[in-house]
Structures are given as structure tokens and as C-alpha cells.
Amino acid sequence: MKSFYEELYSNPSPPTDELPQPWSFPLLPQIPSTFLVSLNEPITLEEVRSAITHLKPNKAPGPDGFSTEFYKLLIDKIDRHLLLMHYIRNVTVTLINGSDFYFDDHREIPAVYDIVNWQLKEGAIRPVKVGSYDPVASSGQVLNINSSQLLWSIGEKETPRSVCSESCSPGSKMESIRGQPACCFGCVPCLQGEISNQTDAVHCLKCPWDQWPNVQKTECLQKPMEYLDYEEPLGAALAATSILSSFIPLFILIILIYSRDTPVVKANNYSLSCLLLVSLSLCFLCSLGFIGYPQRENCLLRQAAFGLVFALCISCILAKTIMVVFAFMATRPGSRLRRWTTPQVSYMIISTCFLLQLLLCVTWLSLAPSSPKYNTHTKPGLIIVECNEGSPIAFWTMLGYLFLLATISFIVAFLARRLPGSFNEAQFITFSMLAFLSVWVSFIPASLSSQGKHTVAMEIFAILASSWALVICMFLPKCFIIVFRPDMNSREHLMRRDKD
């Protein structure tokens, strides 16, 4: 057989281009049938001894590492064992306990181990079998431990924890402790705006800008939006107050129209009083633009509308104050101020003051228009929907212009408060401007200290409070005389008081 394979593989290979076609191959030599019979016969003891005798020196023919010299020295003692191992390594035997006995691929018998627990019994430490490990057992039966028989060194049957630190629950992360092994760590809660949704997390995950962690910091939830809404109690109360308050100036206007021929109404510039009442009604209504979801149109017009209607209102009061002073000074002999007491002069004062505010608002809206924005920094757990005023300088300039008009009206009215006249409005204007300035001076620190929708509520409150101050101080005394004291609303009473 050896000479057959030597002759088969010793012939040189012909070039590939000279190979004959498959059907022209000559019949290749084949193993004789006598060889096939001998190959299939069982290995004999003589063949084992012959194989050991012809082993080359300094070689290890098997995976056990024994050299050829070892096999040759003990050939008479191990030849039969080697022959037997050849047959039994592929044999599987089922034992009485139901387990299988066989040799694995490494020619080794799979080991079955007993698990013992050293326990103190009768004054001596003895091993107690508490389980077994059988790698060839059926699924689920490889490792068996009877935990009820276990006894730990602390004298308890409960299994002790074999870790340095407990696992970190979701919502926290692991942080190593300096000087301790890697298995020793501390659990640190996730920072604000972060979550961890798994046990023993190494890092916390930051929530998106429009989401916020739940209380356990295990998942991100959608942030609620905050703005002054009509459906909430605060927004509904302010809206109802604004609408109801707007009817008060109109009601007073009706009273003045019906009493326009009486001395009280004539002495206090009837046309300017009507224009002032209309502007006051608009002042109450302009606060509605601050309630509801901040749309682009609301943000663009609400501050401008507030500035314009209040500029019109204060301009009317300033014109009334100046006209009172001009009317008194025009009564002096030879005074040239008589021509400045006409209604056209008061309308010119109102138009000039109003146009300056209009120019400021148009410039503001053209260069830096207001628009809605999402504020996520003031209150981290909320999205505050508010109006970006565009230019804070323009807003405070507009408000400062109203302060200027009110201050001028207050100073002029204060100086003219002791002028003669039965129905001199200077005192009423002085108190109204004092109340107006007090409200808006208090608004500045209150708005800076409030956040979110409460800032808007503070501005609405300032609008309503200052408007009510003007209505009460300017028109309550007149309405009282017209409705409840008509005897004082007569020419005879006016002449008698002037003589006194």
C-alpha cells in the first residue's frame, strides 16, 4: 500500500493545456480489493506492536505527551491497553443512576464534581455535600445545589452578598471610590435634566430641550407649557375684570352726554372729557391682548396698543391741565394767552404727544418686532411661552415716555391746584397722576421679581389699577355731584361759591 501511494504522487503533473478531455482520461489505478479487505479488518495486537516499534525517536504520538521511548520501553505492558482503548473510546455506557459514561473528544472521561460545604459539627469541621456539578446532565440539571443545607461562616442560612457595593438603581449612575477596587462604587443621582433607565448605569442621559425627567429620573416626559390662559382662574378673572371695567367709562360718558349743558360738565372741557373716557375704556380693553397663547399678532401689537392708548389718555389729561392754567392766566387784563384757550390748542397738544409715541412704536416694530419664544431656562421643568419684546430699550423708552407725560401733568396740576374756580380739576388731576405714577413705579420691581405668566399678570394688574385710579380720581367727584347733588350743579351755586 505504501508503494502504491508513492508511485501515485511521484509522477509529475502534465501542463494544463495538454490535459486530455474528461472523456479521454485513461482509467486511474485503484486500490486492490485485497487491500480494502485488510483495511476494514480489526486492528490486531501485532499491528499495535509493529506501529510502536517503527515510531521515530523523540516524538510524542499522542495528545498525552508521552514520548516514543516510553511506549517502546513499556511495549509489553501497554500494548493490550492501547488496543482496548481504541475500541472503547467510541463506546457510550448508561450507568445505573441514568448517567452516560463515555470518552470526550480529548479522550477523557467527563468529570462529575460534588459540591461540599465545610460545617462545624460535633466539635469538628466536616464537609457536607450540598450539590453536584455534572456537565453531561440534561438541561437544567448540570448544577444542583440544595441551599437549605448550606451554612455560612456567619452562622446564617441566608446567602450573603459577595459584592462590595449594591447595584445602582435606575435614576442614578455609578461613581468610583478613590482607593477602592473597581467593584466598589457609589450611586450618585442623575443631575437635573438627566435620566438613567437601566441598573448600574455608567452615564446619565440628558433629556431633549422640550422634555423633563419624571420624579424617579428613569424616563423623559413632555414638558408642560405655561402661559396666561383664559381657561385658568387667574386669566379668567383678569379678563372678566378688564371687560367689565371697560363699561364703567362708557357709562360715565353717557352721564356726561345727558348732562353736557350743566355747569360741572361745561367747566371741565366737555370734549376732552369724552375723549378721555373713550381712551380709558380702551385702556381697560388693551389688557386682553396679554391673555391667551402668545401668537405672533398678539406679540406684535399688544405692547404697542398699550403704549398708544395710555399715551392718548395721559395726553388728554395733560391738555386739560394746561388748558386750566391758560384759562386762568387769560383772565388777566391784556393777556395774550386768550388765543391759546381754544379747543384747537388742546387737540394740538394731544396730537403732538400721541404722534411722538406712535413714531416710537412704529420704529420699534420695524427694527425689532416682537415675536413668540419658548423660555426653558427660567423654570427648567416648564416651557414658558412668552413674547420676546424684541428690544428691551424700546419697551422701557415707551414706558419712560408715559412717565414723562404723567410727571409733567402732575407738576403742572400740582402748581395749579390752588387756582380759583368752583370746578377746578387741578386737584383731581394731581391725585390721579400721583396714583398713576405710584402704580407703575411699583410695577418695575414686581415685574423683575416675578417669572413666567405671573410677569404678564403683573403688567395686566398695573394696567387695570392705573386705569381705575384715573377713572376714580378724575370722574367720581363729578358723577357724585351730577347724580346725587344736583343742587351743586347749578349756576347760582357756582356764583355763590365764587363770591365766598
Side-chain angles (χ1 to χ4, degrees):
M1 185 172 63
K2 179 180 178 182
S3 60
F4 168 78
Y5 282 104
E6 287 179 350
E7 183 181 358
L8 176 65
Y9 292 105
S10 62
N11 293 330
S13 299
T16 56
D17 55 351
E18 297 179 3
L19 290 176
Q21 298 298 325
W23 55 82
S24 63
F25 270 112
L27 293 177
L28 296 176
Q30 299 180 356
I31 299 176
S33 58
T34 56
F35 286 168
L36 292 176
V37 173
S38 62
L39 290 176
N40 292 326
E41 289 180 352
I43 298 176
T44 62
L45 185 61
E46 288 74 16
E47 290 176 336
V48 173
R49 296 179 65 88
S50 176
I52 294 175
T53 304
H54 291 85
L55 288 175
K56 294 183 179 180
N58 299 324
K59 301 292 183 181
D64 49 16
F66 293 112
S67 63
T68 57
E69 287 75 11
F70 172 81
Y71 286 99
K72 290 180 179 180
L73 181 63
L74 302 176
I75 187 172
D76 295 331
K77 296 183 178 181
I78 65 174
D79 53 355
R80 298 181 183 275
H81 297 285
L82 293 176
L83 182 62
L84 180 63
M85 288 294 298
H86 171 74
Y87 291 102
I88 68 174
R89 67 180 180 180
N90 295 323
V91 174
T92 301
V93 179
T94 302
L95 303 179
I96 299 176
N97 59 0
S99 61
D100 294 333
F101 177 86
Y102 63 92
F103 291 91
D104 58 15
D105 297 337
H106 301 286
R107 301 178 183 178
E108 295 179 354
I109 301 174
V112 178
Y113 300 95
D114 289 339
I115 300 175
V116 298
N117 179 220
W118 292 87
Q119 300 178 5
L120 181 62
K121 287 190 174 182
E122 299 178 356
I125 298 179
R126 299 177 181 178
V128 178
K129 181 181 177 181
V130 295
S132 62
Y133 173 79
D134 186 359
V136 300
S138 59
S139 178
Q141 301 295 326
V142 176
L143 178 64
N144 289 314
I145 296 179
N146 187 0
S147 58
S148 62
Q149 294 182 354
L150 288 173
L151 186 63
W152 302 98
S153 60
I154 56 178
E156 296 182 0
K157 291 185 175 296
E158 184 178 355
T159 305
R161 299 286 297 173
S162 60
V163 295
C164 177
S165 303
E166 296 291 338
S167 298
C168 293
S169 60
S172 61
K173 65 177 181 178
M174 297 189 301
E175 184 170 299
S176 59
I177 302 175
R178 181 176 297 181
Q180 296 292 330
C183 62
C184 296
F185 51 84
C187 298
V188 180
C190 292
L191 298 177
Q192 191 177 41
E194 296 181 348
I195 66 165
S196 67
N197 52 10
Q198 61 182 2
T199 304
D200 292 338
V202 180
H203 302 287
C204 292
L205 306 176
K206 192 172 184 62
C207 290
W209 70 272
D210 59 341
Q211 295 183 1
W212 193 250
N214 58 353
V215 178
Q216 295 78 17
K217 294 186 178 181
T218 56
E219 62 177 333
C220 294
L221 304 177
Q222 189 69 31
K223 288 183 179 180
M225 292 188 176
E226 180 186 89
Y227 57 91
L228 191 60
D229 193 13
Y230 285 101
E231 297 181 359
E232 62 178 299
L234 180 60
L238 292 175
T241 304
S242 301
I243 295 174
L244 295 177
S245 300
S246 65
F247 290 105
I248 302 301
L250 299 179
F251 179 71
I252 297 175
L253 178 61
I254 295 174
I255 295 177
L256 294 186
I257 292 175
Y258 278 101
S259 306
R260 60 182 177 274
D261 295 329
T262 60
V264 171
V265 178
K266 289 182 177 180
N268 291 284
N269 203 327
Y270 169 72
S271 59
L272 287 184
S273 297
C274 293
L275 182 59
L276 176 59
L277 287 170
V278 173
S279 63
L280 283 173
S281 180
L282 295 177
C283 288
F284 285 115
L285 293 176
C286 76
S287 60
L288 296 177
F290 295 84
I291 307 175
Y293 188 86
Q295 302 288 346
R296 180 176 177 82
E297 296 77 12
N298 292 356
C299 294
L300 193 65
L301 298 177
R302 68 180 191 178
Q303 294 290 2
F306 156 69
L308 290 175
V309 295
F310 267 90
L312 177 61
C313 179
I314 304 302
S315 298
C316 292
I317 297 176
L318 178 60
K320 289 171 70 71
T321 308
I322 294 176
M323 293 307 296
V324 169
V325 177
F326 283 176
F328 174 75
M329 297 178 65
T331 58
R332 297 176 181 177
S335 176
R336 297 181 180 180
L337 294 176
R338 187 179 299 273
R339 58 182 179 179
W340 293 96
T341 59
T342 59
Q344 289 75 13
V345 175
S346 60
Y347 296 146
M348 183 183 65
I349 295 173
I350 296 173
S351 300
T352 303
C353 296
F354 180 79
L355 289 176
L356 289 176
Q357 184 75 305
L358 178 62
L359 179 62
L360 176 60
C361 291
V362 170
T363 304
W364 177 14
L365 297 180
S366 300
L367 299 180
S370 179
S371 60
K373 74 170 184 178
Y374 292 144
N375 182 356
T376 58
H377 304 290
T378 303
K379 296 181 179 180
L382 296 174
I383 298 179
I384 300 177
V385 187
E386 60 186 9
C387 290
N388 178 15
E389 303 302 347
S391 174
I393 297 177
F395 171 75
W396 291 108
T397 303
M398 178 199 71
L399 201 60
Y401 180 71
L402 295 179
F403 286 168
L404 177 62
L405 294 180
T407 303
I408 295 175
S409 300
F410 172 74
I411 294 175
V412 175
F414 180 78
L415 297 176
R417 71 188 186 282
R418 298 194 179 278
L419 293 178
S422 300
F423 300 102
N424 183 10
E425 280 190 302
Q427 295 181 354
F428 303 143
I429 295 175
T430 301
F431 286 113
S432 64
M433 290 297 98
L434 182 61
F436 179 86
L437 292 172
S438 300
V439 169
W440 286 104
V441 168
S442 302
F443 162 75
I444 296 175
S447 64
L448 296 177
S449 61
S450 57
Q451 297 177 346
K453 64 181 180 181
H454 298 97
T455 303
V456 180
M458 287 300 302
E459 186 169 358
I460 296 175
F461 179 79
I463 292 173
L464 298 178
S466 58
S467 301
W468 269 109
L470 297 179
V471 170
I472 293 174
C473 295
M474 292 291 296
F475 293 100
L476 184 61
K478 301 173 187 177
C479 293
F480 179 79
I481 293 175
I482 294 173
V483 176
F484 298 103
R485 296 295 301 274
D487 57 307
M488 297 177 62
N489 189 15
S490 61
R491 186 177 180 84
E492 292 77 11
H493 179 79
L494 176 63
M495 298 301 294
R496 191 182 322 115
R497 186 170 181 180
D498 287 340
K499 290 180 180 180
D500 294 340

